[in-house]
Amino acid sequence: MAVATQRPRQEFLRAATDFGPRKASPSRLSSDEDWELRHGWEEQYNSEEYLTILNSEFYMYYTDKRHESGGKPKLEDLTRQFEEWRNRDRVKTVFAGLMLCLNLGVDPPDVVKTNPTATLECWIDPAAPSSASTKVMESIGKALMTQYETLSIRTRYKQFLDPSHDETKRCCITLRRNSRDERVLFHYNGHGVPLPTSSGEIWYFNRNYTQYIPVSLYDLQQWLAGPTIYVLDVSHAGNVIANFGRFIEKHEQENKEILEKEPDAAVQSYSDNILLAACGKAETLPTNPDLPADLFTSCLTTPVAISLRCFVLNSQVPIDVTLKDLEKVPGRSQERRTPLGELNWIFTAITDTIAWGSLSRKDFRKLFRQDLMVAALFRNYLLAERLMKANNCHPETRPELPSTHNHPLWQSWDLAVEMVLAQLPAMIASEAGGPHYEYQHSSFFAEQLTAFEVYLSQGAPERKAPDQLPIVLQVLLSQVHRLRALILLSRFLDLGPWAVHLALSIGIFPYVLKLLQSAAHELKPVMIFIWARILAFDQSTQSELLKDNGYKYFLTALKPDAGLPVGNQSEHRAMSAFIIAMFCKDFHQGQVVSLSPELFQACLDHMYDPENPLLRQWSCLCISMLWKDFPEAKWAGIRANVHQRLCQMVLDPVPEVRAAALHALKNFLGIPDLTEQVAQTEQAIVSTVMIMTSDGNSMVRGELVVFFSYFVKRYENKFIVAAYEELVDERHRLQYLALQNDEKKSFASQSHANLLETAEYRSNVSEKGTQQTREQISKHSIHASIWKHILILSIDPHPEVARKAILVTDYMHAKLLSSALGTHAQTLMDDLIILGRRPALSRQPSLTPLPRLGEVPIVPNTSYDKKNDGYLAASLKRTATSFVALKNIAFGSSATGNSTSPMSSSSSTLNPHQPQPQPSAVRIRVPDEWSRPPDAHDHSLHSVPYEPAERPMPRDYRPDTESDTTTFPLKSGFYDWSIEYFREPQMKTDEPDEPGSDDYNSRLWRRMRNEKTLNTTQPLKALAGTSRWDVPSGSVTNKSQPIRMCFHQFEDHLAVADDRDGISVWDWQQRILLNRFSNGNPTGSKITETQFVNEDDQALLITGANDGVVKIFRDYDMKEKIELVAAYRGLTDLVPSNKNVGMVFEWQQGQGKLLVAGDVKVIRIWNAATEICTNEIPARSGSCITSLTSDQVAGNVFVAGYGDGALRVFDQREKPATAMKQAWRSHKQWITNVHMQRGGMRELISGSRNGEIKLWDIRMKEEIRTITATRNTLRTLSVHEHAPVFVTGSDKHDIKFFNVNGAFLNSVVPNSKVFPTLNRTNPIAATAFHPHRMMLACSSLHDDHISLFTCHDRRKSDRRSVVQDV
């Protein structure tokens, strides 16, 4: 039995997108014997096994829940969204007064009885020959009490046989006094007294039974007060209900007046009264001699017996059963496997179901779940209404209930009764010594479970409450159907919180709580699943789990050696870990009883489970909740080395697991006794998690900031010192840069003496800064390193991470200003603000949020704290931990050995006096111009003002406002977000994978559209290599300089990046601007790459800028819906230089990898599924990487082009040290582009700055072919993905088309026909082929127009020629 399976990632079948070449037909192979793929891949693509792998299912990336929500929990509050399911004001009926006013043998004066008439009272005939009437009266009273005891055995009953007025008063007052605030039952049988009056008075006797004495409702209410339930079995009982409310209002008004005079006075409560009346105002009880005289009481107390009698009396089909035989139905009502017990069981299920479907949830809980006595009476009242109405009486209640006498489920009740009666003669004969007869049990419950299963198979349309839910509750009482009922119940709870709320409202909780005591092994998986859903909905059930040791059920299941009878054991263990975590959450008693070495060991073992990340995640969170604010558990974790294992999980392949490990480590911090051992342990943890600052997932980085905030709060004084000294370093850096800039400006105009004076001043500034650096207290400390990381995170590319980090920096700077160093710190901040405004430093801003710091109020500190002075003077404990220095974000630079930043990642601070390393020559005896990018001398000439665009934000992002109050340390929402997994459906198929759903149909339509596009463009690819590409297809005006362009494979989308941070998305078919937004990269940087992700389905747009940041956008073509999905630093070690290429990347859809390179010494491979850098391959060159391309089919081989003209081939399957497999140095100048086709012949084409185009085969040492495309500077090179065509753009405003054989096809000039007066000397800025269509987009520098050209289709010309000849 598989109760739950982990929901799979979104996936879809690979469409025939020609990521690989289509399998050639035999005719083609026979006609062209030389046709083969490059690089020796022909054999692979003819392999059936290889093609099967290529056509297999593959994932869509960046579509998980963490990308939609960013790890932020939903703002919905389940406690407010749903009504309270518990009966907080639970009331019990503790005392009952049974008033029997029969006066046997004497008829009341206003009652006329038929002859014959009904005589049975409590199934006893008073007219039967027996002893004195007093004995009969006692028997009737005893029988009535026995009948009531079947409803509630714990209620104390008191009989009052023919009571007098005074006795009634005394009795009622005693009942209320003994019951206190609990409910009293008042049963009134008035068959021997006059009818109730029109004002609601009921009658009793005087002491001598010579007169009838009326009792007003006002007096009766005063004696009984509330809460009370009145059962009125008397004709004209409706008069009591009609007048009851009027007298209650009178009592309440009196109470109000008393409280106004004396507020502390004790007054009686008259609320929460319930009335059950046998008939209406002017109705008389049935007098059918075959029915009891107290038919209403019989229905309320013996529903099965009266149902059997009424069925026999009213049956239209002859039944071989007499009324006497009904007394011989075998069994007891408490034994569900006997006929009588099964009928009682079915009756309870049916009446509960009728009430569930007819009443409001509030009334159902109040009447059917609050009080055992009230629930039984109202359950039986539903039968009373049916039978009384069949006898021309209309029972009434207060509160009023809807009519249910004709509910369809009554037919099921009649069937159950009929099945018992049909077998009754055989059972009677068997008991009398006849043939043995085996009772055939009813199929009612099995049929209702089947109906419930049908409801679940329909997916719970419109969240309609199932009618069978109360029946499922009753089935849990039976071992026969229990397992099936629990499985169906778990499927229902899986529908979401609304389903869990319905199940809890119906009363499922006591049953599943009791089942935790069951030793049945087969129930464990489903019980774990159900309890996970309950705790995910309502955490307040912890106290119930503590009672009777119910939590041990899940501790046992969590053990690795505890076998579970289910296939996906690891997922159920993850649920058990979740249950224990919820049991410990904010519940100290739960932490105490759960703490054990076995629990730690079980969680540690599960952290090594490679198959189920959910189990690893919740093992971490279970520990996190166990030791949160619980020092004993933390020390136990230290002894078990739990913190060390958590530190090892910082590189787990699943982001949720990494965040969970951080959450657990965050809660580990804060052991009250801060000994040296504790401090060393905490510092070791922090040193380990610092690597996560470069994590690719924003949720993980956000959790890391929260972790840092806890560490900062714990060591606040040390971070005050680190923050102060960082300000000192920052001021020194800016002063040095300002001095350098001033020297450059005045060097030519200064005399020799002035130069010497300036050099001396510079030396003094440098020596002063060096001395300050030498005297730093926090230098080399873990606290200074963490503070630098926090400053870097404060300008994180993801807004949510940056917002959290800014809160930490603001908090610490405020603390710094209010400390003993506050005056000095304020002076530093003022200096930084002045220095930061200098124009020369505008491109190198400080990472410290200075504008915010200037607004921080200064807390005056007039007295100098000598304790703090001594503390600051003391040397702090230093560690050998190195730290990553503050980056120069404007250029994306980082601390490396040849960085020009004053702050290095090494343990020493860069001395401004030391000679700065200069970029080494790219190649000896080669002109420096050869290794410069073609656009090195470009400058912006905007003809129109640049219009800033709106920056997309993550979903539900809300920046902090002044009115927001922030608690410190920061609060994490990751745990609450993780809980949501157990509130979401896990068993049902995802909407996009459900045939017939809107998402499924949309996906199917897109797949068909993709196939149509491929089929339409496939024939054109053969013609493209010999046809002219000079057919204008229109143009668009981008209103900013296009630099990078990218076509979507199947949508009519063209993404255009300008020379700043703007991205425009065009519908090239309709010439409509769909959206324009800002990439958000810093001033002075620009977008260097744009590509599409998940193009076969709903695509995302991925961008890269030369600050090293990668960003991914969802709904990029819709201004109202666009969202930032992910943002991270793909490169953190960019080296600024005058040959800056920034960052280049290559997206591999099949592998789900992003290859990133640029002004760095390595090629980083980011895994989109894990969102971490999985490999760093040495670039094997001192020159920057200018272009990347890869085999998009298998995804193992990629090629990098370099600034010195070299090309290198790498294989990802090899170790980084041996990954380079080929190196070509035929090019002598900057590689403009290198590209490997996705389809076609898989040509590998490269182009260098000097106009040389070369074709390569990775198996060969030399190029296959060299083509001189231009004698001018080659600005752009674009290769068609499938057609044997490439295009070049030069600095002389010409675009040339060639085929791969080197044949020149034609040249075009952008906008030559549309804008004939355009300056024809502007260099070409960008070119881009459509991946499938024969279309090119191009643009030139200093021009915001984009021209579209298509290939000349000779087939259409041939057809026109044929028509003309005819």
Side-chain angles (χ1 to χ4, degrees):
M1 179 202 66
V3 176
T5 57
Q6 186 172 1
R7 184 168 54 186
R9 293 166 55 95
Q10 284 188 320
E11 56 187 26
F12 55 90
L13 291 174
R14 176 187 284 276
T17 56
D18 256 6
F19 274 178
R22 290 173 179 263
K23 199 171 181 180
S25 62
S27 61
R28 178 176 178 181
L29 291 176
S30 61
S31 62
D32 188 2
E33 296 180 356
D34 295 333
W35 184 87
E36 64 175 4
L37 292 181
R38 297 289 185 207
H39 322 300
W41 288 336
E42 174 65 21
E43 294 181 2
Q44 286 183 331
Y45 297 145
N46 285 331
S47 167
E48 292 296 332
E49 180 181 357
Y50 195 77
L51 291 176
T52 301
I53 296 175
L54 294 183
N55 291 323
S56 63
E57 296 182 355
F58 67 107
Y59 293 133
M60 293 169 55
Y61 297 97
Y62 297 104
T63 57
D64 292 328
K65 181 187 174 184
R66 63 176 181 267
H67 301 114
E68 296 178 358
S69 62
K72 294 187 296 184
K74 297 177 182 178
L75 299 178
E76 61 181 6
D77 187 351
L78 295 181
T79 58
R80 296 182 179 180
Q81 184 178 353
F82 298 100
E83 296 179 0
E84 175 63 47
W85 61 272
R86 294 177 182 268
N87 289 314
R88 299 291 182 183
D89 51 346
R90 197 173 186 89
V91 182
K92 296 182 293 184
T93 303
V94 294
F95 283 92
L98 308 180
M99 307 288 178
L100 294 176
C101 299
L102 299 179
N103 198 15
L104 297 177
V106 180
D107 293 335
D110 56 352
V111 175
V112 178
K113 296 184 178 180
T114 61
N115 189 15
T117 188
T119 59
L120 292 178
E121 298 283 354
C122 298
W123 301 103
I124 296 175
D125 187 359
S130 62
S131 57
S133 60
T134 55
K135 295 289 186 179
V136 175
M137 196 66 185
E138 292 175 0
S139 299
I140 294 174
K142 186 176 180 179
L144 180 61
M145 187 172 67
T146 303
Q147 291 173 191
Y148 265 109
E149 285 175 345
T150 61
L151 305 183
S152 176
I153 191 64
R154 295 184 178 180
T155 303
R156 297 182 180 181
Y157 300 94
K158 182 68 174 178
Q159 306 174 41
F160 297 94
L161 309 178
D162 291 338
S164 64
H165 176 278
D166 295 337
E167 189 179 0
T168 301
K169 178 181 179 181
R170 186 169 56 254
C171 162
C172 293
I173 294 175
T174 303
L175 289 175
R176 171 48 56 201
R177 183 174 59 250
N178 294 337
S179 299
R180 297 183 181 178
D181 296 330
E182 300 292 347
R183 180 172 282 117
V184 172
L185 169 65
F186 179 79
H187 179 96
Y188 177 75
N189 184 328
H191 296 174
V193 294
L195 303 176
T197 65
S198 58
S199 59
E201 296 173 316
I202 58 176
W203 297 87
Y204 285 92
F205 306 100
N206 65 355
R207 183 174 301 177
N208 299 322
Y209 296 95
T210 58
Q211 291 181 352
Y212 298 107
I213 307 297
V215 175
S216 69
L217 274 180
Y218 179 86
D219 292 338
L220 189 61
Q221 291 170 354
Q222 189 173 25
W223 300 339
L224 291 172
T228 302
I229 179 170
Y230 298 83
V231 178
L232 307 172
D233 191 352
V234 62
S235 298
H236 293 202
N239 287 328
V240 179
I241 289 184
N243 293 276
F244 196 86
R246 177 165 57 91
F247 291 107
I248 289 291
E249 293 176 359
K250 187 176 181 180
H251 283 296
E252 291 177 348
Q253 181 62 33
E254 292 174 354
N255 286 346
K256 184 178 180 181
E257 294 174 356
I258 294 173
L259 292 175
E260 288 177 354
K261 295 178 181 179
E262 191 176 349
D264 297 333
V267 296
Q268 289 194 110
S269 172
Y270 296 96
S271 61
D272 198 16
N273 291 296
I274 299 173
L275 287 84
L276 301 176
C279 59
K281 291 182 181 181
E283 293 180 343
T284 304
L285 296 178
T287 58
N288 186 341
D290 294 325
L291 295 175
D294 59 347
L295 177 60
F296 187 64
T297 300
S298 298
C299 291
L300 295 181
T301 56
T302 56
V304 174
I306 194 63
S307 295
L308 291 170
R309 177 176 286 261
C310 290
F311 187 88
V312 171
L313 292 175
N314 299 320
S315 176
Q316 303 297 322
V317 180
I319 300 179
D320 190 18
V321 176
T322 64
L323 296 179
K324 279 289 187 181
D325 293 337
L326 297 179
E327 300 175 1
K328 301 177 182 179
V329 176
R332 299 173 57 216
S333 59
Q334 292 81 9
E335 298 175 358
R336 286 183 288 273
R337 299 299 294 170
T338 63
L340 196 59
E342 187 178 63
L343 277 178
N344 188 67
W345 187 25
I346 294 174
F347 176 79
T348 302
I350 287 177
T351 50
D352 265 4
T353 304
I354 292 175
W356 169 255
S358 304
L359 305 181
S360 66
R361 298 291 175 261
K362 181 179 179 181
D363 289 341
F364 179 83
R365 288 199 308 273
K366 177 180 179 181
L367 302 179
F368 286 81
R369 292 295 181 264
Q370 190 182 74
D371 184 350
L372 187 63
M373 174 66 80
V374 173
L377 287 175
F378 270 94
R379 194 180 294 121
N380 299 343
Y381 172 82
L382 300 180
L383 175 69
E385 182 198 19
R386 185 188 188 211
L387 298 185
M388 296 295 286
K389 284 189 176 182
N391 289 276
N392 300 318
C393 280
H394 298 80
E396 297 181 5
T397 63
R398 175 191 171 95
E400 185 176 0
L401 299 184
S403 179
T404 59
H405 68 283
N406 56 355
H407 195 280
L409 272 179
W410 285 123
Q411 299 178 13
S412 299
W413 173 240
D414 291 339
L415 177 61
V417 171
E418 184 177 11
M419 289 181 64
V420 172
L421 292 176
Q423 301 179 70
L424 184 57
M427 289 187 289
I428 294 175
S430 176
E431 291 183 359
H436 175 73
Y437 182 79
E438 186 72 25
Y439 174 67
Q440 301 298 316
H441 293 281
S442 172
S443 60
F444 171 79
F445 289 106
E447 293 169 353
Q448 293 299 320
L449 288 179
T450 301
F452 188 46
E453 193 169 4
V454 172
Y455 165 86
L456 293 173
S457 65
Q458 295 175 349
E462 300 179 359
R463 294 188 175 184
K464 180 183 177 182
D467 296 334
Q468 298 82 16
L469 194 57
I471 298 176
V472 175
L473 177 67
Q474 292 295 322
V475 175
L476 295 180
L477 299 173
S478 169
Q479 293 184 356
V480 177
H481 305 289
R482 181 176 293 163
L483 181 59
R484 183 188 178 193
L486 285 173
I487 293 175
L488 293 178
L489 178 62
S490 66
R491 288 178 55 188
F492 177 68
L493 298 182
D494 187 61
L495 295 177
W498 67 272
V500 179
H501 178 258
L502 282 178
L504 292 174
S505 299
I506 199 68
I508 211 79
F509 184 73
Y511 293 82
V512 294
L513 181 63
K514 188 175 182 180
L515 284 175
L516 292 179
Q517 309 303 321
S518 173
H521 199 56
E522 67 277 5
L523 298 183
K524 282 191 175 182
V526 66
M527 287 297 297
I528 292 172
F529 186 92
I530 290 173
W531 268 96
R533 266 58 194 174
I534 292 176
L535 279 168
F537 175 79
D538 191 349
Q539 179 187 339
S540 65
T541 56
Q542 296 164 315
S543 56
E544 284 83 358
L545 276 179
L546 186 61
K547 297 175 182 177
D548 301 327
N549 298 324
Y551 66 94
K552 292 185 178 179
Y553 192 89
F554 308 104
L555 284 174
T556 303
L558 187 58
K559 294 180 180 179
D561 57 350
L564 295 174
V566 68
N568 52 345
Q569 292 189 22
S570 59
E571 176 133 357
H572 284 77
R573 290 197 175 100
M575 296 180 200
S576 299
F578 163 72
I579 293 170
I580 298 301
M582 293 298 293
F583 177 61
C584 295
K585 184 175 182 289
D586 303 326
F587 188 53
H588 183 67
Q589 290 177 289
Q591 292 174 305
V592 172
V593 298
S594 299
L595 177 59
S596 64
E598 292 78 12
L599 177 57
F600 275 122
Q601 189 59 47
C603 291
L604 284 174
D605 293 341
H606 295 322
M607 288 181 195
Y608 290 96
D609 188 322
E611 301 296 331
N612 196 319
L614 186 68
L615 178 56
R616 300 200 303 274
Q617 175 185 349
W618 278 104
S619 296
C620 295
L621 293 177
C622 180
I623 291 176
S624 179
M625 291 296 103
L626 176 63
W627 64 24
K628 181 181 179 182
D629 301 326
F630 189 23
E632 289 81 0
K634 294 178 183 180
W635 282 111
I638 291 176
R639 289 189 290 270
N641 294 323
V642 176
H643 61 290
Q644 295 181 5
R645 173 56 188 151
L646 289 171
C647 288
Q648 296 172 9
M649 301 184 73
V650 298
L651 293 179
D652 191 276
V654 179
E656 288 85 349
V657 178
R658 301 198 296 272
L662 272 176
H663 193 278
L665 292 172
K666 175 206 70 176
N667 284 338
F668 175 80
L669 301 177
I671 296 178
D673 187 11
L674 186 55
T675 62
E676 185 173 352
Q677 177 190 0
V678 173
Q680 290 177 354
T681 301
E682 293 180 347
Q683 291 182 12
I685 291 173
V686 175
S687 301
T688 304
V689 302
M690 277 196 296
I691 192 177
M692 303 180 80
T693 55
S694 61
D695 197 287
N697 183 265
S698 60
M699 177 182 67
V700 176
R701 298 198 305 275
E703 195 66 22
L704 179 64
V705 175
V706 176
F707 173 85
F708 282 160
S709 73
Y710 275 75
F711 190 75
V712 167
K713 181 67 175 178
R714 183 157 173 80
Y715 299 93
E716 189 173 284
N717 290 333
K718 295 185 179 182
F719 277 97
I720 288 176
V721 177
Y724 175 79
E725 294 182 348
E726 182 61 36
L727 292 176
V728 173
D729 283 348
E730 182 76 359
R731 183 177 66 174
H732 173 62
R733 184 181 73 87
L734 293 180
Q735 286 175 339
Y736 182 73
L737 292 175
L739 180 60
Q740 281 186 322
N741 183 70
D742 293 340
E743 287 179 3
K744 291 178 182 178
K745 288 182 179 180
S746 61
F747 182 82
S749 61
Q750 285 185 4
S751 64
H752 180 70
N754 290 335
L755 289 176
L756 291 177
E757 182 180 351
T758 302
E760 183 180 357
Y761 174 74
R762 176 180 177 181
S763 176
N764 292 335
V765 171
S766 177
E767 289 178 1
K768 182 179 179 181
T770 304
Q771 182 180 2
Q772 289 176 344
T773 302
R774 192 182 303 116
E775 293 175 355
Q776 285 184 350
I777 298 176
S778 65
K779 184 181 178 183
H780 301 307
S781 71
I782 190 68
H783 310 96
S785 182
I786 292 297
W787 182 243
K788 293 181 185 295
H789 278 297
I790 294 173
L791 291 175
I792 295 172
L793 288 168
S794 68
I795 50 170
D796 191 89
H798 197 279
E800 191 65 36
V801 180
R803 183 188 67 83
K804 292 180 179 179
I806 288 174
L807 292 175
V808 179
T809 57
D810 285 356
Y811 172 83
M812 279 311 306
H813 283 133
K815 288 292 183 181
L816 172 60
L817 292 172
S818 62
S819 68
L821 295 171
T823 305
H824 304 288
Q826 185 63 50
T827 303
L828 286 171
M829 292 177 183
D830 294 339
D831 293 346
L832 289 174
I833 293 174
I834 296 173
L835 290 169
R837 292 171 181 168
R838 294 175 64 97
L841 306 178
S842 60
R843 296 190 65 188
Q844 294 184 351
S846 168
L847 295 188
T848 307
L850 295 176
R852 296 175 64 91
L853 294 177
E855 299 170 2
V856 177
I858 300 177
V859 180
N861 188 1
T862 56
S863 62
Y864 190 79
D865 192 342
K866 294 189 176 182
K867 180 180 179 181
N868 288 342
D869 181 52
Y871 169 77
L872 294 174
S875 60
L876 299 179
K877 295 180 180 178
R878 302 177 181 180
T879 65
T881 305
S882 63
F883 52 83
V884 178
L886 210 54
K887 308 288 191 298
N888 184 337
I889 298 304
F891 293 97
S893 66
S894 93
T896 58
N898 56 357
S899 172
T900 59
S901 172
M903 284 175 290
S904 172
S905 62
S906 63
S907 60
S908 62
T909 304
L910 184 63
N911 189 343
H913 264 319
Q914 294 177 354
Q916 301 302 312
Q918 300 297 325
S920 59
V922 177
R923 189 169 296 174
I924 301 176
R925 294 185 298 276
V926 171
D928 191 53
E929 188 69 20
W930 287 15
S931 59
R932 293 186 186 277
D935 58 353
H937 303 294
D938 290 352
H939 58 280
S940 298
L941 288 176
H942 292 284
S943 58
V944 295
Y946 188 82
E947 299 180 3
E950 187 175 350
R951 181 183 175 188
M953 290 295 169
R955 183 178 298 182
D956 299 329
Y957 173 76
R958 187 181 67 87
D960 289 327
T961 60
E962 295 182 359
S963 60
D964 292 339
T965 57
T966 303
T967 58
F968 199 87
L970 303 180
K971 299 301 181 184
S972 169
F974 175 74
Y975 185 84
D976 294 333
W977 178 83
S978 300
I979 294 175
E980 292 175 1
Y981 175 87
F982 297 101
R983 296 173 183 161
E984 298 167 350
Q986 305 299 330
M987 296 185 188
K988 66 177 292 188
T989 308
D990 286 336
E991 191 72 12
D993 300 325
E994 184 69 36
S997 66
D998 291 343
D999 290 346
Y1000 181 89
N1001 292 338
S1002 299
R1003 177 169 289 183
L1004 186 62
W1005 177 86
R1006 285 190 290 269
R1007 179 178 173 83
M1008 296 173 63
R1009 177 208 59 189
N1010 299 352
E1011 294 290 347
K1012 182 180 179 180
T1013 301
L1014 295 174
N1015 295 331
T1016 303
T1017 59
Q1018 188 72 18
L1020 300 176
K1021 298 171 185 177
L1023 303 175
T1026 57
S1027 301
R1028 294 180 61 83
W1029 289 68
D1030 56 357
V1031 181
S1033 187
S1035 65
V1036 296
T1037 303
N1038 196 54
K1039 295 185 179 181
S1040 59
Q1041 175 64 60
I1043 293 297
R1044 292 287 183 273
M1045 295 187 293
C1046 180
F1047 279 100
H1048 192 290
Q1049 288 194 60
F1050 305 108
E1051 300 282 356
D1052 297 334
H1053 294 168
L1054 173 64
V1056 181
D1058 61 26
D1059 58 346
R1060 297 191 186 181
D1061 67 346
I1063 298 176
S1064 302
V1065 180
W1066 288 89
D1067 184 330
W1068 56 263
Q1069 193 79 265
Q1070 303 294 329
R1071 314 289 191 270
I1072 298 174
L1073 179 63
L1074 300 176
N1075 190 17
R1076 184 173 182 269
F1077 59 94
S1078 169
N1079 189 58
N1081 41 288
T1083 304
S1085 63
K1086 63 181 180 180
I1087 301 169
T1088 57
E1089 289 285 356
T1090 59
Q1091 292 184 25
F1092 289 101
V1093 180
N1094 303 337
E1095 288 181 277
D1096 280 20
D1097 199 68
Q1098 293 178 311
L1100 308 174
L1101 182 64
I1102 180 172
T1103 65
N1106 59 359
D1107 63 345
V1109 171
V1110 177
K1111 293 186 177 181
I1112 302 170
F1113 300 94
R1114 180 192 296 112
D1115 296 325
Y1116 56 86
D1117 57 327
M1118 291 179 277
K1119 185 175 183 179
E1120 298 78 12
K1121 297 180 62 177
I1122 185 171
E1123 297 173 353
L1124 178 65
V1125 177
Y1128 60 93
R1129 298 194 185 279
L1131 294 178
T1132 55
D1133 301 311
L1134 286 171
V1135 182
S1137 69
N1138 56 358
K1139 305 173 184 179
N1140 193 339
V1141 71
M1143 178 177 67
V1144 294
F1145 63 69
E1146 168 80 350
W1147 167 249
Q1148 295 180 326
Q1149 179 69 44
Q1151 291 281 329
K1153 294 179 180 178
L1154 186 71
L1155 312 179
V1156 183
D1159 297 318
V1160 290
K1161 307 305 180 187
V1162 295
I1163 302 168
R1164 287 187 173 175
I1165 302 176
W1166 288 87
N1167 190 307
T1170 63
E1171 298 185 70
I1172 55 176
C1173 180
T1174 56
N1175 204 356
E1176 283 193 358
I1177 299 176
R1180 305 290 291 271
S1181 173
S1183 180
C1184 61
I1185 295 177
T1186 65
S1187 179
L1188 283 174
T1189 187
S1190 66
D1191 169 23
Q1192 286 286 347
V1193 181
N1196 298 315
V1197 176
F1198 68 91
V1199 182
Y1202 291 78
D1204 60 357
L1207 293 170
R1208 289 179 173 84
V1209 182
F1210 299 88
D1211 191 334
Q1212 299 183 48
R1213 294 168 293 187
E1214 298 288 337
K1215 295 180 180 179
T1218 60
M1220 192 186 78
K1221 296 301 179 184
Q1222 188 72 274
W1224 298 309
R1225 295 181 175 84
S1226 297
H1227 287 293
K1228 303 303 181 183
Q1229 297 191 24
W1230 181 283
I1231 297 298
T1232 301
N1233 191 20
V1234 58
H1235 188 82
M1236 180 182 291
Q1237 289 182 308
R1238 294 184 181 183
M1241 295 288 292
R1242 309 303 310 283
E1243 296 285 4
L1244 175 61
I1245 303 175
S1246 65
S1248 62
R1249 190 180 190 275
N1250 61 355
E1252 282 188 349
I1253 307 297
K1254 295 181 182 291
L1255 278 70
W1256 306 88
D1257 190 306
I1258 63 175
R1259 299 169 294 177
M1260 300 181 181
K1261 296 293 184 181
E1262 302 294 335
E1263 66 269 22
I1264 299 174
R1265 185 176 295 112
T1266 301
I1267 304 167
T1268 302
T1270 180
R1271 298 296 180 182
N1272 302 312
T1273 301
L1274 183 68
R1275 299 286 301 232
T1276 67
L1277 168 65
S1278 297
V1279 182
H1280 200 283
E1281 293 289 0
H1282 303 283
V1285 176
F1286 65 89
V1287 66
T1288 63
S1290 71
D1291 61 349
K1292 297 302 181 182
H1293 200 70
D1294 62 336
I1295 295 176
K1296 296 181 180 180
F1297 292 86
F1298 298 84
N1299 64 22
V1300 294
N1301 294 324
F1304 173 72
L1305 300 179
N1306 65 282
S1307 65
V1308 295
V1309 178
N1311 296 314
S1312 59
K1313 295 181 180 180
V1314 182
F1315 302 98
T1317 61
L1318 188 67
N1319 187 352
R1320 303 298 178 84
T1321 63
N1322 288 342
I1324 300 300
T1327 57
F1329 275 115
H1330 192 286
H1332 297 293
R1333 300 180 187 275
M1334 304 302 112
M1335 177 179 289
L1336 175 79
C1338 56
S1339 67
S1340 59
L1341 198 64
H1342 312 319
D1343 182 19
D1344 57 1
H1345 293 88
I1346 301 171
S1347 302
L1348 301 176
F1349 293 93
T1350 58
C1351 177
H1352 181 70
D1353 191 350
R1354 295 200 309 271
R1355 298 177 306 169
K1356 296 181 180 179
S1357 301
D1358 294 342
R1359 285 194 293 268
R1360 286 195 296 268
S1361 300
V1362 171
V1363 172
Q1364 291 174 359
D1365 293 341
V1366 173

